[in-house]
Amino acid sequence: MAIFDLILKIDTALRLKEIVFIGESKKWFQDDHLEAMIGQKIEYVLGDSIKPEGGIVEIQNKFFKYQWINDIDENTVYLSREGVLMDLYEQTIRHVAEGIQIYDRNGYFLYANPASEDLEFYKNEDFKGKHILDLYDLKEEYSTILTVLRTQKPVINRCDRFKMKTGKALTTINNGYPLKIDDILYGAVVFESDLSALKRIKNRTINLEAYVEGRQPATQEQLYAFDDIIHVSDKMKNMIHFAKKVSLTDSSVIIVGATGTGKELMAQSIHSFSPRRDKPFIDINCSAVPSNLFESMFFGTEKGAFTGSIAKKGFFEMADGGTIFLDEVNSISIEMQAKLLRVLQEKRFQRIGGEKYLRCDVRIIAAANEDLHELMEQQKIRKDFYYRISAIKIEIPSLNERKEDIPILARYFLIELCNQYNRPQMVISNQVLDVFLEYNWPGNVRELQHVIEYVFNCASEDIEEVDISHLPDYLLSPSALDHTSMRDIKSSKDFFNENNTLETQLAFFEKEIIYQQLQKHGGNITKSAKSLGISRQSLQYRMKKTGLSVE
């Protein structure tokens, strides 16, 4: 495949005057279709208006990325299929559940997908252009990438335990492969999995085996129920009580909650508790549905509706009698909202290319990651569509609003991991629980689960109690904690007298020393720890214990 597949020469009146075919591109078009358009306006040739900044056009069911070059005597449009494919490849990689990192043959970081960023708590822009040895504290025998680059051979299913330069410990299961062009090594790629990714792969394998053996995968049995929602707080009890009542009706539901609060868990629980529990539950991430495929995916297609189309059910047919969960419903375009609204009102639809109407009986549960009222004011959400999908509104409280649930959730996640990997049960120290209770948890329950997975990986197998040394650094930073201010120590000097116990007086003396060093170094924890001869993590623990923070 060439970098450019077509070059279109255009005169000053924006009419096509010449076509240059590169490689085998001429074979892609039937009956000299493109050449027959010489002399036509370029908008007619491409079926779209040309934008000076470039874009994507479709010619005879083939997509091309174009660049527009404006000269004095003529204009030139360069078209490339490879450009579109590269965009699609990158989008595909972004949806892969495993972490992916790509390095050049000299060991310099090129690219990583969001799963890798989430796994290791970094951003692409922070890693780009840096050598792997500048990013991680490792040796070749503990680096999948370095081994692949040296041997130019794949490394399969290797468990790597290593540290990032920030001091963060990681444990991953890796597969690494050399990247070659014409048998010359140009780089390497590593696929990394944490515990959550491995769990998803395991479930996918079980369903695949069931399919091969001709059994129906136990999809419905795997749906969450209200009993799976771990909680002790009154807010959650009241919300679940209300959701159970709503479940028994066919009213449409909108679930509102911050990222990581468990909107899909709630949607599945409503379905599992409803009279539709034995019917399909179809969950759709609306932001992942391409706009040009939206109608065919929701309404289905008839054979021959367009080139290559086959008779295929859409989401509404698949969910008949059951529930459709529209996650990130705010990402649906205004045009598609109108078409969905008509189906929801009339409870019937036509397949693409079909002539007859099909009846549908589905319940709609929706969730949004933006404020829908603001989107209505911005005319990004139709009012009639919003009112149709939100007869009932369920608000899931953030983890920060139900902190009494944090200890039980943390213990539950840790017990589950120990059971899953046949490790002795561990307990969580009170100091760790204190940190959890003081942190704001912007990522909510999902973030807490990821932290517990991090702790589980960091702790060695002989550890019985999880302590502060196993926590990720960002949870221990002064900005994450809300303790007594440094200046408040002066008001506590009355504790330092002969009537107090030795333990009390020693605790105050420790606090005074730490305070003096922090004040001397302007609140810099790293410098203060070095002057005290202890690690940064130990100082953060002692600050936590004595009630000190940096303002």
Side-chain angles (χ1 to χ4, degrees):
M1 182 181 294
I3 296 177
F4 294 110
D5 300 301
L6 291 174
I7 300 176
L8 306 182
K9 301 288 186 179
I10 305 166
D11 62 23
T12 54
L14 299 183
R15 296 182 181 276
L16 179 63
K17 71 175 188 178
E18 182 184 355
I19 305 171
V20 179
F21 294 95
I22 301 174
E24 298 184 351
S25 59
K26 191 171 184 177
K27 298 179 181 179
W28 299 344
F29 304 99
Q30 303 171 1
D31 304 324
D32 296 325
H33 169 82
L34 203 54
E35 291 177 300
M37 291 190 174
I38 290 179
Q40 299 284 349
K41 283 279 190 179
I42 189 63
E43 287 86 352
Y44 176 77
V45 175
L46 300 180
D48 200 356
S49 58
I50 288 290
K51 301 175 183 177
E53 65 271 19
I56 295 177
V57 294
E58 182 180 5
I59 306 175
Q60 283 199 328
N61 298 321
K62 294 176 177 62
F63 292 94
F64 295 86
K65 200 168 188 176
Y66 70 83
Q67 291 180 315
W68 171 276
I69 306 297
N70 189 10
D71 295 325
I72 298 176
D73 298 327
E74 66 177 11
N75 302 292
T76 307
V77 178
Y78 296 90
L79 296 104
S80 167
R81 292 190 70 194
E82 190 172 31
V84 177
L85 289 175
M86 289 301 296
D87 285 350
L88 295 178
Y89 293 156
E90 183 172 346
Q91 287 188 48
T92 300
I93 290 174
R94 292 180 65 83
H95 290 296
V96 174
E98 289 179 287
I100 299 175
Q101 290 186 352
I102 303 174
Y103 293 80
D104 70 15
R105 65 185 179 190
N106 297 315
Y108 286 92
F109 180 92
L110 296 175
Y111 176 81
N113 69 338
S116 177
E117 292 179 309
D118 293 341
L119 174 62
E120 299 189 19
F121 296 100
Y122 71 92
K123 292 296 181 184
N124 244 302
E125 55 267 23
D126 298 331
F127 272 26
K128 279 186 178 177
K130 294 183 179 179
H131 197 275
I132 186 171
L133 293 177
D134 294 327
L135 300 173
Y136 303 99
D137 185 10
L138 46 76
K139 298 178 182 179
E140 181 186 316
E141 58 266 29
Y142 300 113
S143 170
T144 301
I145 283 291
L146 289 180
T147 302
V148 171
L149 291 176
R150 184 181 66 81
T151 64
Q152 299 190 27
K153 294 181 180 179
V155 174
I156 307 298
N157 290 334
R158 187 163 81 178
C159 180
D160 282 351
R161 288 175 179 258
F162 53 92
K163 283 188 176 181
M164 299 179 69
K165 287 294 185 181
T166 59
K168 186 176 298 178
L170 295 170
T171 301
T172 56
I173 304 298
N174 296 338
N175 292 312
Y177 302 92
L179 301 176
K180 297 183 177 182
I181 301 175
D182 295 331
D183 208 33
I184 298 175
L185 180 71
Y186 284 93
V189 60
V190 62
F191 296 85
E192 52 183 0
S193 300
D194 65 348
L195 297 174
S196 60
L198 292 174
K199 188 174 181 179
R200 288 193 294 271
I201 293 171
K202 177 183 176 183
N203 291 337
R204 190 167 63 223
T205 303
I206 292 172
N207 283 344
L208 177 60
E209 290 175 353
Y211 176 80
V212 172
E213 294 172 5
R215 296 182 286 109
Q216 180 69 24
T219 304
Q220 296 303 317
E221 285 84 26
Q222 294 176 4
L223 293 180
Y224 287 107
F226 287 117
D227 289 342
D228 297 316
I229 302 177
I230 308 300
H231 70 284
V232 292
S233 65
D234 289 336
K235 282 192 175 183
M236 289 298 291
K237 287 179 182 178
N238 294 336
M239 184 202 66
I240 292 172
H241 178 71
F242 175 67
K244 284 182 176 179
K245 293 168 62 178
V246 169
S247 301
L248 302 177
T249 74
D250 281 335
S251 299
S252 58
V253 178
I254 183 76
I255 301 174
V256 179
T259 298
T261 50
K263 295 186 285 294
E264 183 167 0
L265 187 154
M266 177 57 61
Q268 291 187 18
S269 299
I270 292 172
H271 174 82
S272 299
F273 199 77
S274 75
R276 298 174 180 266
R277 66 178 66 90
D278 296 324
K279 298 295 183 179
F281 177 88
I282 305 298
D283 58 316
I284 305 158
N285 186 334
C286 299
S287 65
V289 179
S291 58
N292 60 326
L293 298 178
F294 194 96
E295 289 186 72
S296 60
M297 292 180 72
F298 272 81
F299 309 134
T301 57
E302 291 289 1
K303 185 177 181 180
F306 49 82
T307 304
S309 68
I310 59 174
K312 187 177 180 180
K313 290 182 178 181
F315 293 142
F316 279 100
E317 280 187 79
M318 293 165 60
D320 190 39
T323 302
I324 286 182
F325 175 49
L326 301 175
D327 197 10
E328 298 190 31
V329 68
N330 49 286
S331 63
I332 301 177
S333 68
I334 290 289
E335 294 79 5
M336 291 302 106
Q337 289 175 34
K339 294 183 178 182
L340 281 180
L341 177 63
R342 184 175 180 182
V343 175
L344 298 179
Q345 289 174 335
E346 299 180 1
K347 297 189 181 300
R348 63 174 190 164
F349 62 95
Q350 287 178 303
R351 286 184 178 182
I352 305 301
E355 296 180 355
K356 64 178 182 180
Y357 280 95
L358 302 175
R359 304 294 301 179
C360 65
D361 172 27
V362 297
R363 183 197 194 156
I364 297 295
I365 301 177
N369 57 6
E370 293 184 73
D371 189 324
L372 295 183
H373 287 283
E374 289 185 8
L375 294 178
M376 279 195 291
E377 292 178 1
Q378 299 169 14
Q379 297 186 341
K380 294 180 180 179
I381 291 285
R382 292 173 57 109
K383 290 185 178 180
D384 48 2
F385 178 70
Y386 171 77
Y387 293 126
R388 173 63 65 175
I389 64 173
S390 61
I392 304 293
K393 182 179 181 180
I394 295 178
E395 295 187 58
I396 304 179
S398 66
L399 193 55
N400 197 38
E401 294 175 290
R402 53 183 183 106
K403 287 197 169 183
E404 57 267 50
D405 289 338
I406 292 176
I408 188 174
L409 281 166
R411 293 187 182 107
Y412 171 81
F413 292 139
L414 188 58
I415 290 170
E416 284 288 290
L417 289 169
C418 290
N419 290 338
Q420 183 178 351
Y421 293 94
N422 297 316
R423 283 181 57 172
Q425 290 294 332
M426 293 184 285
V427 297
I428 302 174
S429 71
N430 291 332
Q431 291 86 354
V432 169
L433 290 177
D434 287 343
V435 172
F436 285 175
L437 290 170
E438 290 166 2
Y439 182 60
N440 287 328
W441 299 107
N444 292 289
V445 178
R446 184 183 297 122
E447 183 182 6
L448 175 60
Q449 184 175 12
H450 287 173
V451 167
I452 295 299
E453 289 186 7
Y454 176 91
V455 165
F456 180 83
N457 278 286
C458 286
S460 58
E461 294 189 1
D462 59 344
I463 292 295
E464 296 180 355
E465 183 179 69
V466 173
D467 60 35
I468 284 185
S469 66
H470 301 116
L471 292 178
D473 291 342
Y474 78 91
L475 282 183
L476 300 174
S477 66
S479 61
L481 302 176
D482 182 22
H483 297 308
T484 306
S485 168
M486 284 173 54
R487 62 175 178 266
D488 290 340
I489 189 171
K490 294 183 178 180
S491 65
S492 64
K493 286 192 174 182
D494 59 322
F495 287 100
F496 189 54
N497 60 65
E498 59 183 352
N499 295 324
N500 285 330
T501 64
L502 175 63
E503 183 177 354
T504 301
Q505 295 186 65
L506 288 174
F508 175 81
F509 196 66
E510 178 184 17
K511 187 174 185 179
E512 178 74 8
I513 293 172
I514 294 173
Y515 167 73
Q516 295 293 345
Q517 290 299 322
L518 286 170
Q519 193 174 49
K520 177 180 177 181
H521 296 287
N524 187 299
I525 293 179
T526 300
K527 292 181 180 178
S528 300
K530 186 176 181 180
S531 67
L532 289 168
I534 60 177
S535 69
R536 175 187 171 91
Q537 203 168 48
S538 177
L539 176 57
Q540 288 171 326
Y541 167 70
R542 291 172 185 274
M543 289 173 62
K544 162 78 174 64
K545 184 180 71 172
T546 57
L548 280 172
S549 68
V550 177
E551 287 188 341

